[in-house]
Amino acid sequence: MGAQIRVYRQKIASTSSMKKIFKAMELIATSRIGKARSRARAASPYADAITRAVSAVASQNDIDHVLTTKVENPTRAAVLILTSDRGLAGAYSTNVLKRGEALTKRLREDGKEVRPYLYGRKAQAFYDFREREYDQVWTGNTDAPEVERAQEIGRTLVDRFLQPTEEDGVDELYLVYTEFQSMVKQEPVARRLLPLAFVEQDDEAAHEPTALYDFEPNPEEVLDALLPRYIESKIFAAMLEASASELAARQRAMKSAADNADDLIKKYTLLRNNARQAEITQELSELIAGADALAAS
């Protein structure tokens, strides 16, 4: 009986230690979410502005540019998947990978070869475990992304997009990441970055006056200059959204783990008390039996 009590005490002690770790990670994630959301909001105006600039150049000029021209029969697509470096974030990375798998399946059903590009150790581990090939992987600071990393990824993908298909280039470029909607909801999404897809205006917006621009030296060269900046801004904005989503998912996961640790501590405490009570009852029974035996003799 004493050995059983020691086991419960050890379980209570170890679970209490884990609870402290979970609580600390929850507080760290909570303290960093605000900064991550602020960075995402701060990057949004630039991304929106450069998107409007690209749209203005492409929509107001009858030009033939790789940025806006859709290949009639695309044969190869690059897919950039943004996951996390670390675990303990619930199903955050799993949901992104599932969304990437669904996109990959759809593209292959359309007869396209998919070339994966990965960001985050979780995506790398997913592909390595299944012995799947991928073109390139980037890791580090997924919960605090750096603009230099977004620029590096953007240059790699733009170079691949500008290459002819015969020289191992790609016809389309997709981005899979987690969109931060609220503290309790983060949605994995897939977006096509290139070629650009313009949404038609509704009737009310169509009657609004549209600004006219003159582009120097010409619209084609303006698009050439805007293309890498556009892709980099989109990727960096997605990385910031993903980092906020990762921290929110980790905060929820750690809170749930701490609550489960509380339940386990209560359970083990009850079992320890029951074992202690049974031990005391047994000791009393033995004392009473011994006293009765002495009295009888």
Side-chain angles (χ1 to χ4, degrees):
M1 194 67 68
Q4 189 177 17
I5 294 176
R6 284 195 297 272
V7 170
Y8 289 137
R9 285 175 178 170
Q10 291 172 356
K11 289 184 177 182
I12 292 172
S14 61
T15 306
S16 298
S17 298
M18 293 299 296
K19 176 189 172 183
K20 292 178 181 178
I21 297 174
F22 296 149
K23 198 65 179 178
M25 295 187 68
E26 177 191 352
L27 294 175
I28 292 172
T30 303
S31 65
R32 297 179 62 185
I33 290 174
K35 182 179 180 181
R37 295 182 63 187
S38 297
R39 292 186 67 194
R41 286 193 296 266
S44 181
Y46 176 78
D48 294 341
I50 198 168
T51 300
R52 288 194 299 269
V54 171
S55 300
V57 180
S59 61
Q60 296 186 15
N61 296 272
D62 186 14
I63 58 176
D64 183 15
H65 192 272
V66 66
L67 184 68
T68 58
T69 302
K70 185 176 181 180
V71 179
E72 291 186 2
N73 297 307
T75 59
R76 188 178 294 119
V79 178
L80 174 62
I81 303 175
L82 305 183
T83 63
S84 65
D85 278 333
R86 298 185 294 132
L88 301 177
Y92 167 75
S93 293
T94 301
N95 291 336
V96 180
L97 290 168
K98 285 182 178 179
R99 188 67 184 87
E101 289 289 284
L103 174 62
T104 299
K105 180 180 179 182
R106 179 172 63 82
L107 293 174
R108 286 174 176 165
E109 288 176 349
D110 293 339
K112 301 172 186 176
E113 178 188 355
V114 178
R115 308 301 293 267
Y117 288 82
L118 312 178
Y119 179 63
R121 292 189 180 92
K122 288 298 180 180
Q124 183 182 13
F126 179 85
Y127 275 75
D128 287 343
F129 180 77
R130 290 160 179 78
E131 297 182 351
R132 297 184 184 178
E133 294 183 355
Y134 49 86
D135 282 30
Q136 195 165 343
V137 61
W138 295 269
T139 60
N141 299 327
T142 57
D143 55 354
E146 301 172 350
V147 66
E148 292 80 11
R149 179 55 56 85
Q151 292 171 348
E152 177 186 351
I153 297 173
R155 286 192 298 267
T156 300
L157 295 177
V158 169
D159 291 343
R160 192 66 179 274
F161 183 77
L162 294 177
Q163 287 180 357
T165 308
E166 298 78 13
E167 300 178 8
D168 206 27
V170 298
D171 301 316
E172 296 176 339
L173 175 58
Y174 291 86
L175 176 61
V176 181
Y177 67 101
T178 304
E179 189 177 68
F180 185 91
Q181 297 181 358
S182 68
M183 286 295 297
V184 297
K185 184 178 181 181
Q186 298 84 42
E187 189 72 22
V189 295
R191 301 275 189 264
R192 193 183 79 182
L193 295 182
L194 292 175
L196 286 178
F198 297 100
V199 180
E200 295 184 1
Q201 297 177 329
D202 53 26
D203 294 338
E204 182 178 351
H207 291 86
E208 294 181 357
T210 305
L212 299 177
Y213 300 93
D214 290 327
F215 302 98
E216 296 292 343
N218 55 66
E220 288 80 2
E221 293 190 26
V222 172
L223 282 178
D224 288 338
L226 287 177
L227 173 58
R229 291 175 175 80
Y230 167 77
I231 295 300
E232 290 166 9
S233 68
K234 287 293 187 181
I235 291 176
F236 187 54
M239 291 168 66
L240 292 174
E241 288 273 339
S243 69
S245 300
E246 177 184 346
L247 291 170
R250 181 167 291 116
Q251 187 266 342
R252 290 200 314 275
M254 292 300 97
K255 184 179 185 306
S256 177
D259 292 342
N260 291 338
D262 270 333
D263 294 339
L264 282 175
I265 291 172
K266 292 178 182 178
K267 175 183 175 181
Y268 291 142
T269 301
L270 180 61
L271 292 174
R272 182 199 62 185
N273 293 340
N274 291 339
R276 179 59 178 161
Q277 184 177 7
E279 183 180 28
I280 294 172
T281 302
Q282 182 178 355
E283 291 174 355
L284 289 174
S285 299
E286 292 174 354
L287 288 173
I288 294 171
D292 291 341
L294 288 174
S297 62

